[in-house]
């Protein structure tokens, strides 16, 4: 039997139990908890689902809930067993029945080291519980769960739908039978009883059980009974007959026979061998205590070695150069500055918004402006003053004239899309709907509008516009605000449920193309929660519909939508820092499978959240978030990505009296540029030729000897952040919710450049230089800002800038920088003269 030392105090908060173990074997068993087995020294054979895996030092394996498993080892070893509470883990992951595939022997992945580090950190805190707070311990637990979710979560289907076939060696029926045996082994158990409960015949059960476990039913039951009886023989004063009867044996003779088969000795002799005189027992007890201490001492030694090695590796990685040798370089398209969401049509008519759009175009220069509500009630399009209704395009003319004057082409979302300002998915601040129109009324209005635009702006201009067709059957945000639309049904949809949208799309696309054949018409703003299988079905259904879009549009918010709306999550933001990259890859794969691989893909809305009341939107975090995701998705076959949202004017409401109110805009309602805005300005300076990119940098080139480097220090959220509602963090605590606050030392060397003198311009964006949130806090965060004070912050909230001249002798340019958390740096190097 295994010797085990388990400590589960209040600090574990019932979410995890940790056992330090050493020994040779355990009985096949199942349990509800999710179990991670982590070998510290020696080796261990783990049998799970009738498959045996040999684990050596630093190897780990995860056993899913209700999976049959056992241990065996012939040598001295030390390993850790982590039991994750099943219900609490499901709740944290927002999954009904998570299924993991986690085996460091069978899988080769970089993620293994991340999970090892998380387990080591958890063990270090576990060994030092007296000096650790519960919050610190839980932080390490959540890091482990986060690693499992990001890298090893494979399936979350309900248990009643999960198929345990020959692929994993067992099925639901076996799990139920084993659980029944474990709960009733003390009672007279028979094949007939279990067969009747399972509604199967006795011969079938007998054959099935033998095939799945390798033992007959009676052999397995007796093995369970003996395992429990052994402990009572050694650690209780019960008579052997009492032990036999209490553990399900019909009589002493049966117990003696089974016990002798298992241990080659009778129970009474086994007890004598293991119960010694009192003084001898005390020595053994001391030895057992020493044995436990030795196990923990070995664990501490292991962790000290690991921590030392990690520190050494970290130091090397910080000091080691990233060498980039110039060679063949590919051009790429700047997809991030093609379009920007400027919001609801009526907002664009305000003078403040138009002033902000004007300076945005002068500094960044987007190509398209995406908006909706062009035919809303507030635009006063329908003229009912005469007997026959006509159309009044006066306000539409003002809007379109302004955009075209500022070199912005319209990207129009067609349909009755409402204006929604949200604090979170669960809390709507304002919801502005429009009058309904029939499909025939939409066709008539759209025809009149297009003919008017051709007359006013020319067919050549209008055919360069984009039209995206919206429907409340698709939009995930609109559905969340209107439970009557049955959002849950939609996100777990049968593609046939979207037949209504396909009909609308076909009708409106044909209307547009009849008048403006070259205009691009697409949809549908795919919900962010669609999984691969559902995407494949959706695309196949659209293909069957006949009228195909000119482009496919999707919404990308880093949000994990809860599958059960009856159990709301406190915070839906994804724990995956690479969520957008993962989703784009998923969509592209589904498009390929459906034969849409050559179709234009546009992300028409993207952000970390839909919230307009979260001060993270005003912080330096948002700038690093923007740069990271744009760099990550370069050359991912995306035509454009429209950031949501340009200005806080969109979300201005009665509760937005302060200078900052957590709006999603890049610019405050007063016109102060936020760090996110500056991120787009810095990105504008990148060249069109990609030299190299990595997790924290990108190097580009323009014609001639001109190079651009952007470095950034992105920090994702600490797992404890997800325990609180989104946007609930106090304004002064916006930088206390991240995985760490470590600086990043990065050293880049570009080899093969031309010798000579270079002019180097450096711009730095961080909390001290360019952050409106930090400057406002330093200012006193007063709500009654005066015009001159707003003007002061406008001048103050800009990145720092400096210029230097460097001489390159050895055909290599080297840049070394120490970046603070959330910091971004841009280097521009231009050759002045050759050597």
């Amino acid at each position: 039997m295994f010797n085990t030392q388990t400590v589960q105090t209040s600090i574990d908060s019932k979410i995890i139990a940790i056992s330090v173990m050493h020994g040779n074997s355990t009985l096949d068993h199942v349990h509800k908890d999710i179990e991670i087995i982590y070998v510290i020294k020696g080796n261990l054979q783990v049998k799970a689902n009738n498959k045996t895996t040999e684990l050596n030092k630093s190897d780990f394996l995860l056993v899913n809930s209700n999976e049959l498993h056992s241990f065996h080892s012939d040598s001295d070893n030390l390993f850790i067993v982590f039991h994750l509470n099943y219900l609490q883990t499901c709740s944290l992951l927002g999954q009904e029945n998570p299924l993991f595939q986690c085996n460091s022997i069978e899988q080769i992945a970089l993620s293994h080291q991340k999970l090892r580090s998380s387990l080591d950190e958890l063990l270090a805190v576990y060994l030092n519980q007296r000096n650790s707070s519960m919050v610190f311990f839980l932080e390490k637990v959540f890091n482990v769960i986060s690693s499992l979710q990001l890298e090893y979560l494979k399936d979350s289907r309900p248990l009643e739908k999960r198929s345990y076939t020959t692929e994993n060696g067992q099925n639901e029926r076996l799990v139920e039978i084993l659980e029944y045996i474990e709960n009733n082994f003390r009672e007279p158990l028979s094949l007939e009883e279990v067969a009747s409960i399972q509604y199967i015949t006795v011969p079938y059960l007998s054959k099935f059980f033998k095939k799945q476990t390798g033992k007959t039913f009676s052999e397995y039951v007796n093995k369970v009974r003996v395992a429990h009886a052994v402990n009572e023989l050694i650690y209780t004063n019960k008579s052997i007959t009492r032990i036999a009867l209490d553990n399900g044996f019909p009589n002493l003779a049966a117990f003696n026979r089974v016990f002798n088969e298992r241990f080659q000795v009778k129970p009474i002799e086994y007890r004598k061998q293991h119960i010694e005189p009192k003084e001898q027992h005390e020595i053994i007890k001391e030895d057992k205590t020493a044995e436990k201490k030795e196990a923990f001492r070995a664990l501490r030694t292991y962790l000290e070695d690991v921590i030392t090695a990690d520190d050494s590796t970290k130091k090397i990685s910080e000091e080691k150069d990233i060498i980039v040798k110039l060679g063949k370089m590919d051009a790429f398209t700047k997809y991030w500055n093609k379009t920007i969401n400027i919001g609801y049509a009526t907002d664009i008519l305000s003078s403040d918004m138009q002033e902000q759009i004007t300076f945005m175009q002068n500094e960044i220069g987007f190509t398209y402006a995406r908006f909706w509500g062009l035919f809303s009630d507030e635009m006063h399009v329908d003229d009912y003053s005469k007997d026959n209704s006509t159309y009044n395009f006066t306000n539409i003319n003002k809007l379109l004239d302004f955009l075209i004057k500022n070199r912005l082409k319209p990207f129009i979302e067609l349909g009755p899309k409402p204006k929604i300002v949200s604090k979170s998915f669960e809390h709507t601040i304002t919801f502005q709907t429009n009058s309904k129109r029939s499909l025939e009324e939409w066709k008539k209005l759209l025809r009149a509008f297009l003919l008017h635009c051709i007359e006013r702006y020319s067919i050549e201009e209008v055919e360069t516009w984009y039209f995206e067709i919206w429907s409340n059957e698709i939009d995930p945000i609109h559905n969340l605000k209107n439970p009557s639309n049955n959002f849950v049904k939609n996100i777990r949809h049968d593609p046939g449920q979207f037949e209504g949208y396909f009909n609308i799309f076909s009708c409106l696309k044909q209307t547009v193309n009849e008048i403006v054949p070259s205009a691009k018409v697409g949809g549908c703003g795919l919900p962010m929660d669609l999984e691969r299988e559902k995407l494949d079905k959706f695309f196949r259904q659209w293909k069957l519909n006949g009228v195909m879009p000119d482009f496919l549009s999707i919404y990308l918010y880093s949000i994990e939508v809860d599958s059960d709306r009856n159990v709301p999550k406190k915070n839906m933001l994804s724990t995956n820092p690479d969520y957008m990259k993962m989703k784009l890859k998923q969509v592209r794969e589904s498009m390929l499978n459906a034969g849409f691989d050559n179709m234009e893909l546009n992300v028409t809305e993207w952000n970390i959240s839909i919230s307009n009341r979260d001060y993270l939107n005003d912080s330096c975090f948002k700038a690093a978030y923007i740069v990271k995701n744009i760099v990550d998705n370069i050359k991912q076959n995306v035509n454009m990505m429209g950031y949501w949202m340009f200005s806080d004017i969109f979300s201005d409401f009665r509760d937005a009296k302060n200078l900052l109110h957590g709006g999603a805009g890049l610019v405050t309602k007063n016109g102060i540029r936020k760090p996110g805005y500056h991120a787009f300005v810095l990105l504008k300076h990148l060249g069109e030729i990609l030299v190299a990119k990595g997790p924290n940098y990108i190097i580009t080139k323009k014609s001639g000897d001109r190079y651009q480097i952007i470095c950034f220090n992105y920090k994702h959220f600490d797992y404890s952040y997800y325990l609180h509602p989104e946007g609930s963090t106090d304004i002064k605590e916006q930088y206390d919710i991240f995985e760490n606050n470590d600086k990043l030392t990065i050293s880049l060397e570009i080899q093969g450049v031309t010798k000579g003198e270079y002019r180097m311009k450096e711009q730095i964006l961080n909390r001290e230089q360019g952050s409106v949130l930090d400057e406002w806090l330093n200012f006193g965060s007063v709500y009654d800002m005066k015009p001159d004070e707003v003007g002061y912050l406008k001048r103050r909230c800009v990145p720092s800038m400096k210029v230097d001249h460097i001489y390159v002798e050895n055909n290599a340019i080297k840049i070394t920088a120490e970046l603070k958390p959330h910091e971004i740096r841009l280097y521009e190097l231009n050759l002045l003269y050759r050597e």
Side-chain angles (χ1 to χ4, degrees):
M1 298 297 292
F2 273 80
N3 294 313
T4 306
Q5 176 69 10
T6 303
V7 179
Q8 186 172 3
T9 63
S10 60
I11 199 170
D12 289 359
S13 189
K14 299 182 180 179
I15 193 173
I16 194 170
I18 302 174
S19 300
V20 181
M21 306 184 73
H22 54 96
N24 52 20
S25 65
T26 60
L27 185 69
D28 288 342
H29 61 288
V30 296
H31 46 68
K32 197 72 172 174
D33 289 343
I34 297 165
E35 182 174 313
I36 304 173
I37 303 158
Y38 184 31
V39 177
I40 301 301
K41 73 172 184 178
N43 59 69
L44 180 71
Q45 288 183 353
V46 179
K47 183 180 178 183
N49 298 328
N50 284 337
K51 184 175 184 179
T52 301
T53 303
E54 181 83 21
L55 300 181
N56 297 303
K57 180 180 178 181
S58 298
D59 290 332
F60 55 80
L61 180 147
L62 183 144
V63 180
N64 285 290
S65 176
N66 286 330
E67 286 185 347
L68 180 68
H69 62 287
S70 61
F71 314 136
H72 178 78
S73 178
D74 294 323
S75 60
D76 180 40
N77 62 14
L78 179 67
F79 63 100
I80 313 298
V81 173
F82 303 87
H83 277 173
L84 290 169
N85 181 280
Y86 178 76
L87 294 178
Q88 291 211 31
T89 303
C90 290
S91 176
L92 284 170
L93 296 177
Q95 303 285 358
E96 294 177 11
N97 289 284
L99 182 65
F100 299 92
Q101 185 179 341
C102 178
N103 185 332
S104 63
I105 296 295
E106 295 182 352
Q107 301 163 271
I108 301 175
L110 297 175
S111 56
H112 291 337
Q113 187 54 45
K114 181 178 180 181
L115 181 56
R116 279 194 194 94
S117 299
S118 298
L119 293 173
D120 290 339
E121 291 175 4
L122 174 58
L123 287 171
V125 178
Y126 165 75
L127 289 177
N128 196 29
Q129 289 189 46
R130 292 182 180 178
N131 299 323
S132 301
S133 69
M134 181 185 294
V135 172
F136 190 45
F137 183 87
L138 289 176
E139 175 193 355
K140 304 306 178 185
V141 174
F142 293 149
N143 285 341
V144 171
I145 296 174
S146 176
S147 295
L148 292 175
Q149 180 185 33
L150 298 181
E151 306 295 342
Y152 304 102
L153 183 61
K154 297 300 179 185
D155 195 3
S156 58
R157 288 173 286 169
L159 187 61
E160 60 270 16
K161 295 182 181 178
R162 190 183 297 167
S163 175
Y164 291 93
T165 60
T166 54
E167 179 181 352
N168 61 14
Q170 62 171 313
N171 57 30
E172 180 186 359
R173 172 168 286 158
L174 179 63
V175 170
E176 292 178 358
I177 293 171
L178 296 182
E179 285 185 338
Y180 188 81
I181 293 172
E182 187 65 35
N183 293 331
N184 297 278
F185 72 90
R186 292 183 174 86
E187 306 299 327
L189 281 176
S190 66
L191 269 173
E192 290 77 7
E193 177 185 346
V194 177
S196 65
I197 293 173
Q198 291 291 319
Y199 301 102
I200 55 178
T201 65
V202 172
Y204 178 82
L205 174 59
S206 178
K207 184 178 180 180
F208 167 80
F209 195 89
K210 175 72 173 179
K211 180 180 179 181
Q212 295 294 335
T213 66
K215 298 178 178 64
T216 66
F217 181 81
S218 60
E219 286 173 346
Y220 185 88
V221 172
N222 285 334
K223 192 173 181 180
V224 172
R225 288 167 173 168
V226 167
H228 287 273
V230 165
N231 287 327
E232 294 190 17
L233 276 174
I234 300 174
Y235 299 113
T236 73
N237 294 321
K238 286 183 179 181
S239 68
I240 295 177
T241 301
R242 184 75 266 161
I243 292 173
L245 296 176
D246 286 350
N247 285 283
F249 291 97
N251 50 55
L252 180 59
F255 179 47
N256 285 336
R257 176 179 53 79
V258 174
F259 196 94
N260 189 56
E261 291 175 357
R262 173 69 177 84
F263 294 101
Q264 288 77 50
V265 66
K266 293 182 178 180
I268 189 170
E269 295 172 353
Y270 186 92
R271 172 176 268 184
K272 287 180 179 180
Q273 292 173 6
H274 289 80
I275 298 180
E276 305 293 340
K278 182 177 180 181
E279 58 274 13
Q280 182 68 18
H281 177 72
E282 290 175 352
I283 294 173
I284 292 174
K285 184 176 180 180
E286 290 176 3
D287 287 343
K288 285 181 178 294
T289 303
E291 189 177 344
K292 293 174 185 176
K293 289 182 178 179
E294 180 60 31
F296 277 83
R297 190 178 296 115
L299 179 57
R300 286 191 175 91
T301 301
Y302 163 79
L303 291 173
E304 288 172 0
D305 292 342
V306 168
I307 292 170
T308 301
D310 284 349
D311 289 344
S312 175
T313 303
K314 185 176 180 181
K315 184 178 292 185
I316 292 172
S317 66
E318 288 179 346
E319 294 178 354
K320 185 178 179 180
D321 290 344
I322 298 172
I323 306 296
V324 177
K325 296 182 179 180
L326 294 183
K328 182 180 179 181
M329 294 173 282
D330 296 324
F332 72 99
T333 301
K334 293 184 180 181
Y335 64 93
W336 60 86
N337 61 356
K338 284 188 176 182
T339 185
I340 183 73
N341 282 282
I342 56 177
Y344 207 57
T346 51
D347 294 335
I348 306 168
L349 295 177
S350 73
S351 60
D352 288 342
M353 176 67 92
Q354 293 190 359
E355 179 184 350
Q356 293 184 12
I357 290 175
T358 300
F359 74 65
M360 172 197 75
Q361 278 301 91
N362 290 333
E363 289 188 300
I364 302 175
F366 289 93
T367 305
Y368 288 91
R370 182 175 179 268
F371 57 92
W372 60 96
L374 189 64
F375 307 121
S376 65
D377 298 341
E378 295 80 7
M379 294 294 286
H380 306 298
V381 175
D382 297 287
D383 180 8
Y384 300 106
S385 61
K386 300 178 182 179
D387 294 336
N388 295 323
S389 62
T390 56
Y391 302 113
N392 181 356
F393 295 127
T394 301
N395 286 325
I396 290 179
N397 292 340
K398 292 178 182 178
L399 189 158
L400 297 179
D401 287 352
F402 168 76
L403 294 180
I404 293 171
K405 177 183 177 182
N406 282 275
R407 308 178 311 283
L408 277 167
K409 295 183 179 296
F411 192 126
I412 305 171
E413 188 158 20
L414 296 173
K417 181 175 181 176
K419 178 177 180 179
I420 306 173
V421 178
S422 303
K423 182 175 182 179
S424 66
F425 259 5
E426 305 296 332
H427 186 184
T428 300
I429 298 171
T430 179
F431 186 94
Q432 186 174 333
T433 58
N434 295 293
S435 300
K436 293 183 179 180
R437 290 185 172 91
S438 68
L439 191 55
E440 285 302 316
E441 289 173 331
W442 270 106
K443 287 174 60 178
K444 181 181 177 183
L445 172 59
L446 188 54
R447 286 181 60 86
F449 167 72
L450 292 172
L451 291 171
H452 169 80
C453 289
I454 290 172
E455 176 67 24
R456 188 175 182 87
Y457 305 109
S458 80
I459 182 68
E460 291 78 14
E461 170 64 28
V462 179
E463 64 185 6
T464 64
W465 297 358
Y466 274 77
F467 299 89
E468 183 178 6
I469 298 176
W470 179 89
S471 171
N472 60 6
E473 293 179 326
I474 302 291
D475 193 300
I477 301 171
H478 177 264
N479 277 283
L480 277 171
K481 309 308 175 184
N482 290 270
S484 61
N485 285 332
N486 199 0
F487 176 67
V488 178
K489 184 178 180 181
N490 285 342
I491 66 172
R492 295 185 172 277
H493 66 279
D494 174 347
Q497 293 177 358
F498 288 130
E499 194 61 38
Y501 175 77
F502 294 142
N503 291 336
I504 294 172
F505 179 86
S506 299
C507 178
L508 296 187
K509 185 178 191 301
Q510 289 171 349
T511 301
V512 173
N513 289 153
E514 284 173 5
I515 302 170
V516 192
S518 299
K520 290 198 173 183
V521 184
C524 57
L526 277 172
M528 67 217 67
D529 68 294
L530 289 183
E531 299 169 0
R532 173 66 180 272
E533 183 180 352
K534 298 183 180 69
L535 275 173
D536 291 344
K537 291 180 179 178
F538 182 85
F539 289 146
R540 286 197 296 270
Q541 184 70 19
W542 202 342
K543 200 168 185 178
L544 292 173
N545 186 60
V547 179
M548 301 306 298
D550 298 314
F551 65 89
L552 183 70
S553 64
I554 60 174
Y555 297 164
L556 276 184
Y557 296 93
S558 300
I559 296 170
E560 301 286 357
V561 179
D562 199 341
S563 59
D564 185 358
R565 299 294 303 161
N566 296 320
V567 186
K569 295 168 64 176
K570 287 185 176 180
N571 195 325
M572 292 183 178
L573 294 190
S574 175
T575 59
N576 186 353
D578 301 316
Y579 176 90
M580 288 187 61
K581 185 176 182 180
M582 174 193 72
K583 282 294 182 182
L584 279 174
K585 181 180 179 182
Q586 185 182 77
V587 171
R588 267 298 175 195
E589 288 175 352
S590 292
M591 291 174 68
L592 178 63
N593 291 339
F596 289 7
D597 46 312
N598 294 321
M599 184 176 291
E600 182 179 310
L601 177 62
N602 294 320
V603 180
T604 48
E605 293 183 18
W606 75 278
N607 204 320
I608 194 167
S609 169
I610 65 170
S611 175
N612 276 280
R613 293 298 183 269
D614 190 338
Y615 288 113
L616 279 174
N617 291 322
D618 308 313
S619 70
C620 278
F621 159 79
K622 183 52 76 72
Y625 172 82
I626 289 170
V627 172
K628 169 193 160 46
N629 282 283
I630 286 175
V631 171
D632 279 354
N633 291 294
I634 286 177
K635 304 195 78 171
Q636 291 295 317
N637 202 10
V638 177
N639 179 55
M640 63 174 71
M641 284 178 61
Y643 185 81
W644 188 89
M645 170 68 62
F646 168 59
S647 174
D648 282 353
I649 291 174
F650 169 80
S651 59
D652 192 15
F653 200 57
R654 63 172 66 98
D655 65 334
K657 65 179 181 179
N658 289 335
L659 179 80
L660 301 176
H661 58 263
L666 298 171
V667 183
T668 72
K669 61 181 181 180
N670 307 91
I672 303 175
R673 295 138 169 99
K674 297 184 187 180
Y677 179 94
H678 294 308
F680 277 98
V681 174
L682 297 180
L683 286 163
K684 176 188 177 181
H685 293 280
L686 290 177
E688 295 76 23
I689 300 172
L690 179 63
V691 177
K693 72 184 184 80
N696 302 101
Y697 70 92
I698 181 171
I699 305 172
T700 63
K701 184 178 183 294
K702 295 181 180 179
S703 61
D705 294 284
R706 297 182 294 167
Y707 301 92
Q708 306 79 38
I709 304 170
I710 288 183
C711 307
F712 53 95
N713 186 9
Y714 174 77
K715 302 293 183 184
H716 203 62
F717 303 112
D718 185 276
Y719 212 102
S720 60
Y721 170 70
Y722 298 95
L723 300 178
H724 306 284
E726 180 188 355
S728 62
T729 308
D730 184 83
I731 188 172
K732 296 181 180 179
E733 299 173 346
Q734 292 303 303
Y735 297 103
D736 299 333
I737 57 177
F738 297 99
E739 54 192 344
N740 62 63
N741 285 307
D742 299 338
K743 294 180 180 179
L744 172 67
T745 299
I746 188 166
S747 179
L748 295 168
E749 183 173 318
I750 309 174
Q751 297 182 350
V753 301
T754 303
K755 294 181 181 180
E757 184 176 348
Y758 286 78
R759 186 179 192 271
M760 183 174 72
K761 180 191 289 187
E762 177 186 22
Q763 295 188 61
I764 300 176
L765 173 64
N766 57 28
R767 293 184 63 183
E768 289 76 37
Q769 297 156 113
S771 173
V772 62
L773 176 65
D774 292 283
E775 290 296 342
W776 186 49
L777 289 173
N778 293 335
F779 194 82
S781 60
V782 296
Y783 69 88
D784 54 342
M785 296 288 292
K786 302 297 187 290
D788 63 318
E789 296 163 352
V790 172
Y792 166 79
L793 289 181
K794 284 183 179 180
R795 296 188 298 273
R796 177 77 178 168
C797 297
V798 295
S800 68
M801 183 184 299
K802 68 177 182 179
V803 176
D804 197 3
H805 292 80
I806 60 173
Y807 191 80
V808 174
E809 292 181 318
N810 57 355
N811 299 101
I813 296 174
K814 186 172 183 179
I815 302 292
T816 301
E818 184 179 79
L819 278 68
K820 298 176 181 178
H822 319 291
E823 182 174 309
I824 304 169
R825 293 197 187 189
L826 167 68
Y827 297 91
E828 296 178 90
L829 297 108
N830 297 331
L831 179 64
L832 296 179
Y833 66 87
R834 300 172 182 269
E835 185 180 67

